């Protein structure tokens, strides 16, 4: 009799936790928190890839620090709840990437926008969520994304012939996907049947392939680092030069309207919409920058 009572109480407790978890996941507060956190992830200065492998890395972050996403370990252990959270993460990542791409396109002015060209400062402000700690490295990274969009639009005019690449070809929702370099569409076979790498410059992309293109550019840059067998110090110099060059190119195409000294820039974008303090957010960003560099 006592055993039956204990089992009944256990089942009731599990139902309470499940109902409580569902209420949290459906709440506006959680959705805002998730949007803010995932936006910071996608704007990380060390992010390895924007599509392939990212969902799995973020789910690892959630496992290690559920509180950072407004969850608890108890919630993660609820039967069937982890796949639900994983699905929410993938959906929100897709929505944020679409928003980022739209804002980058609008920032370029011209016939695709009702607004004039935006300098990098304005674009950073448009992309960064409230409470995000912004450094010059973020400016360079976002400038790189805009340079990629400029180059991507030029590639869309490339005559057909090579396999078309788009953002779905990497199975972005697959949390088990690895790096872009492991994708089958990155190679072809020559006359001898040997695998031959297809450089980014030779690939043809569909209009929906912007983020695939960005990942490919980053992967190709990483391949250069591996081939040259750079030391950690030289590798850091390589990436600093890589993103600084994009930043300088962006400044030429989209000049800052008034003189701004960006050296050592550190700002907090707006006021955080969550209950986190700015310093807590900065500390969490540092964890993200480490975790999303794989």
């Amino acid at each position: 009799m006592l055993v039956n009572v204990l089992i009944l109480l256990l089942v009731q407790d599990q139902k309470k936790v499940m109902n409580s978890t569902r209420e949290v996941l459906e709440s506006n507060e959680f959705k805002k928190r998730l949007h803010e956190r995932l936006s910071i992830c996608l704007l990380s200065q060390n992010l390895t890839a924007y599509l392939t492998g990212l969902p799995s890395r973020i789910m690892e972050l959630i496992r290690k620090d559920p509180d950072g996403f407004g969850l608890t370990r108890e919630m993660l252990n609820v039967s069937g709840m982890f796949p639900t959270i994983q699905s929410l993460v993938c959906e929100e990542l897709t929505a944020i990437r679409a928003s980022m791409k739209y804002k980058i396109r609008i920032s370029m002015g011209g016939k695709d926008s009702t607004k004039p060209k935006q300098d990098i400062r304005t674009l950073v402000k448009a992309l960064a969520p409230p409470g995000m700690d912004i450094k010059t490295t973020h400016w360079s990274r976002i400038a790189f994304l805009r340079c990629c969009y400029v180059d991507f639009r030029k590639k869309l005019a490339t005559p057909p012939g090579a396999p078309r690449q788009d953002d779905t070809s990497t199975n972005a929702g697959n949390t088990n996907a690895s790096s872009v370099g492991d994708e089958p569409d990155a190679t072809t076979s020559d006359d001898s049947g040997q695998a031959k790498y297809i450089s980014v410059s030779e690939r043809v992309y569909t209009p929906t392939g912007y983020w695939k293109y960005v990942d490919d550019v980053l992967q190709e840059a990483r391949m250069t680092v591996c081939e040259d067998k750079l030391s950690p110090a030289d590798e850091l110099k390589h990436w600093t030069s890589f993103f600084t060059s994009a930043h300088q190119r962006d400044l030429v195409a989209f000049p800052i309207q008034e003189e701004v000294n960006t050296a050592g820039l550190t700002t907090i974008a707006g006021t955080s919409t969550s209950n986190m303090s700015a310093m807590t957010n900065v500390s969490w960003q540092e964890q993200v920058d480490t975790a999303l560099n794989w």
Side-chain angles (χ1 to χ4, degrees):
M1 180 67 179
L2 180 58
V3 173
N4 291 337
V5 171
L6 290 175
I7 292 176
L8 179 61
L9 291 174
L10 181 60
V11 171
Q12 290 177 341
D13 286 343
Q14 290 177 338
K15 287 183 178 180
K16 287 181 180 179
V17 175
M18 180 177 292
N19 292 334
S20 175
T21 302
R22 291 190 183 280
E23 288 178 4
V24 169
L25 297 182
E26 294 172 359
S27 68
N28 290 330
E29 182 180 355
F30 171 76
K31 292 176 182 177
K32 287 181 180 179
R33 180 72 164 263
L34 183 65
H35 177 85
E36 177 191 75
R37 293 301 195 171
L38 294 183
S39 294
I40 290 175
C41 289
L42 282 168
L43 292 175
S44 171
Q45 55 194 335
N46 293 337
L47 186 58
T48 295
Y50 291 84
L51 282 175
T52 312
L54 180 58
S56 63
R57 293 288 170 167
I58 290 177
M59 294 310 296
E60 287 178 17
L61 269 176
I62 292 176
R63 285 191 184 97
K64 293 177 181 178
D65 180 28
D67 183 63
F69 290 84
L71 300 169
T72 65
R73 295 195 182 282
E74 189 179 30
M75 291 177 179
L76 297 183
N77 293 330
V78 174
S79 177
M81 200 55 65
F82 198 79
T84 298
I85 296 172
Q86 180 176 296
S87 178
L88 290 174
V89 167
C90 290
E91 289 175 5
E92 189 62 26
L93 283 173
T94 298
I96 295 172
R97 279 193 298 259
S99 176
M100 288 173 63
K101 180 181 175 182
Y102 171 77
K103 290 176 180 177
I104 291 171
R105 177 174 66 82
I106 293 299
S107 75
M108 297 172 63
K111 63 180 181 179
D112 290 338
S113 173
T114 57
K115 299 179 180 179
K117 287 183 178 181
Q118 298 175 7
D119 58 28
I120 188 63
R121 176 186 52 188
T122 305
L123 178 56
V124 169
K125 184 178 180 180
L127 293 176
M132 182 175 179
D133 181 41
I134 306 296
K135 295 182 172 64
T136 49
T137 45
H138 292 103
W139 285 46
S140 297
R141 188 77 181 216
I142 292 172
F144 162 74
L145 291 178
R146 181 153 61 179
C147 286
C148 280
Y149 192 77
V150 171
D151 295 339
F152 173 72
R153 293 209 304 184
K154 292 178 181 178
K155 286 191 69 64
L156 292 182
T158 303
R164 291 278 176 176
Q165 315 279 321
D166 61 30
D167 288 350
T168 59
S169 64
T170 60
N171 196 11
N174 179 5
T175 59
N176 295 317
S178 55
S179 65
V180 175
D182 294 330
E183 292 298 320
D185 55 21
T187 60
T188 187
S189 299
D190 57 21
D191 294 338
S192 64
Q194 296 295 317
K196 177 184 176 183
Y197 176 75
I198 305 174
S199 68
V200 176
S201 62
E202 296 175 303
R203 300 180 202 179
V204 181
Y205 295 79
T206 68
T208 61
Y210 167 68
W211 293 108
K212 177 68 169 69
Y213 173 76
V214 172
D215 277 4
D216 287 350
V217 171
L218 289 172
Q219 173 64 9
E220 197 159 272
R222 285 193 297 276
M223 290 173 61
T224 299
V225 172
C226 292
E227 290 171 357
D228 293 345
K229 299 180 180 179
L230 300 179
S231 66
D234 287 337
E235 182 176 346
L236 178 60
K237 291 179 181 178
H238 168 85
W239 286 114
T240 299
S241 175
F242 180 84
F243 289 111
T244 298
S245 296
H247 195 165
Q248 293 173 341
R249 176 185 163 191
D250 186 83
L251 288 173
V252 172
F254 306 92
I256 291 181
Q257 299 304 311
E258 58 186 69
E259 188 175 350
V260 176
N261 180 14
T262 61
L265 176 69
T266 301
T267 60
I268 301 295
T271 304
S272 178
T273 56
S274 71
N275 57 7
M276 298 177 296
S277 67
M279 290 308 296
T280 301
N281 210 9
V282 171
S283 175
W284 190 83
Q285 279 185 233
E286 293 173 353
Q287 296 178 42
V288 167
D289 288 338
T290 299
L292 296 186
N293 183 12
W294 68 89

